[in-house]
Amino acid sequence: MKNYSTTPFFLLLAVILLPLTSCTEFLDEEFRDGITTDNFFNNDAEAELAVNGVYRILYRTSLYRTRGLDNYYVNGADVVGPSRNVNGQVHNYLIDEGVSDGSGTWNSLYEMARNTALFINSIEGNENLSEGARDQALGELLFLRALAYYHLTNLWGDVPYFRELPSTEELSTITRSDRNMIRTEMKADLERAIGLLPASYSGSDLGRASKWAATALKAKYHLFDREWQDALDESVSIIENSPHRLLDNYADVFDQSDPANQYNDEYIYVVDFTRDPVFGDGNTSRTDDYNPRIRDEPANRNDRPGGPGTPTRVELYSDLLASYGEGMTGFGWAIPLPEIADSTNWEEGDMRYTASIVTKYRGYELSFPYYRKNWNLDQENSPRGNHPENYIVFRLADIYLMAAEAENELNGPDGAYEYVNAVRARAFEPDKPWSGMSQDEFRKAMYDERKWELAAEGHRRMDLIRWGILLETVKATEHRPWNNPGNNIEPKHVLLPVPLEEIQLNPNLLETDPSNNGYR
């Protein structure tokens, strides 16, 4: 079975359904008889297998499993940086053609685009399928295709685009299409998906995209495209009509301690990883980026509190952690930057700080701060390299803040307070609601509010880009001595270069932009 994740996009024509065993329960089904392009699709089960195969692409290291998308959505902003001199090409903006240009991510996203194009055309109008199964499959495929092009257009701008699977010759000569056109068509597809998908799932179907997941993605498209009324309408639809609710306790949003109970009412869409998958990348190693490594911890680790000849602090600490079934076995690659780690930079009384940031654990001061919301030290249920934690793609608090931002841009802050204050109500005790701001004051306050609420969740860098403040923010942010992104970042870095291997295979990719997004 060919692994497309390391094969250049333009050499790939055949669409092969992967063995569907791992990840969420709805993917735990054996691939028995096989499906080929000659028999697409004879029954409901075959259509479902095809959809499941597209979902499985999301579990790749190049996407959600580890630093695939996080390289360009989390790193290189003002919230996350490495604890040592690693991942420097990305964080320090040393990106170029062939250098951290996202080629693996590009290939995986285009595998999604190819598979969804073929499957949509094979399922639509297929009389071998029941109406319910056909609608379900089409809705999910439309969502997954829109998610792929959402990332492609966010990261590369104008990109190759197709709605039907191109021929080999067409793939080898395809040019880039206008980003705005692509995004317009994806929003129309999502509107259709909203009408096809169910409002919720239960049991073994948890992890599939609901109508509210499609609505959230559509709202994101509108927000990024500054279509404020549409962004507001979609966000309010979720707030008022969906089964999702804000949890009472911020820390509970990120509680993944029980592998059998990792969903909550605030999640709109997650990529649900599992421990010990039978096949494939069903588990995640992203957690290891946020987990400390014991060689760094605790502070003054080689001191001997009991005097010469007694155990060192690190030996005492390791024993203490082990007594709780815990261990610091991670990489420590994704830790809070100094400014966000400093509690004095947060608004006084913001309880999200202690839920998000940890500088002292089980009575020991740590050498570095860490993101408590993203770590899991449990060595039994979440061991190194084999973690089951969900990647939260969309959650309701983000939607509330999107509604607040859109309402402020449309009409000023008066109608926006209710949305932002709903999020702040659980962050402060006593409550600290916003009021009395001008439109510009509200806009700028939102820059920080989204940082405190959504830090290290995959939103920050794109927020800074869409606000037009990425460069000034990176330049003004304190980084650790081994990083210097402020010295290197340039206007071109709001987009990635089209991967070098793709240009070598198809020079037509430079036809509409010989500069390759400014990298030539």
Side-chain angles (χ1 to χ4, degrees), residues 75-184:
N75 289 285
D78 61 342
V79 293
V80 172
S83 63
R84 56 198 185 278
N85 189 17
V86 294
N87 210 28
Q89 292 175 337
V90 171
H91 189 77
N92 292 321
Y93 287 99
L94 300 176
I95 297 164
D96 207 340
E97 291 181 4
V99 180
S100 295
D101 57 13
S103 59
T105 299
W106 170 287
N107 288 333
S108 291
L109 293 171
Y110 270 111
E111 185 172 346
M112 290 179 66
R114 289 194 310 278
N115 287 9
T116 52
L118 178 58
F119 297 159
I120 287 170
N121 288 335
S122 300
I123 289 173
E124 193 154 28
N126 188 330
E127 295 182 358
N128 293 327
L129 309 179
S130 68
E131 182 179 2
R134 187 167 57 243
D135 287 351
Q136 173 79 27
L138 285 174
E140 290 177 278
L141 291 168
L142 290 167
F143 169 83
L144 290 165
R145 177 165 68 183
L147 184 62
Y149 279 112
Y150 171 77
H151 291 313
L152 285 164
T153 54
N154 282 347
L155 296 178
W156 286 279
D158 296 349
V159 292
Y161 176 62
F162 47 84
R163 297 181 68 84
E164 296 184 3
L165 187 66
S167 67
T168 304
E169 181 179 356
E170 289 169 332
L171 285 173
S172 66
T173 59
I174 196 169
T175 62
R176 298 166 71 182
S177 296
D178 177 69
R179 167 170 55 180
N180 293 326
M181 180 272 292
I182 298 171
R183 294 171 74 88
T184 296

Side-chain angles (χ1 to χ4, degrees), residues 226-280:
R226 304 179 70 83
E227 297 166 348
W228 302 118
Q229 188 63 61
D230 289 325
L232 178 62
D233 291 344
E234 302 296 358
S235 298
V236 170
S237 179
I238 296 170
I239 292 167
E240 294 185 350
N241 302 314
S242 80
H244 301 286
R245 66 176 183 88
L246 295 175
L247 300 192
D248 295 332
N249 182 3
Y250 180 79
D252 289 346
V253 176
F254 311 100
D255 184 1
Q256 300 279 292
S257 58
D258 181 0
N261 187 29
Q262 292 183 307
Y263 285 83
N264 63 59
D265 289 344
E266 191 160 327
Y267 293 173
I268 299 173
Y269 184 67
V270 303
V271 179
D272 181 357
F273 291 93
T274 187
R275 180 187 171 190
D276 297 328
V278 179
F279 296 106

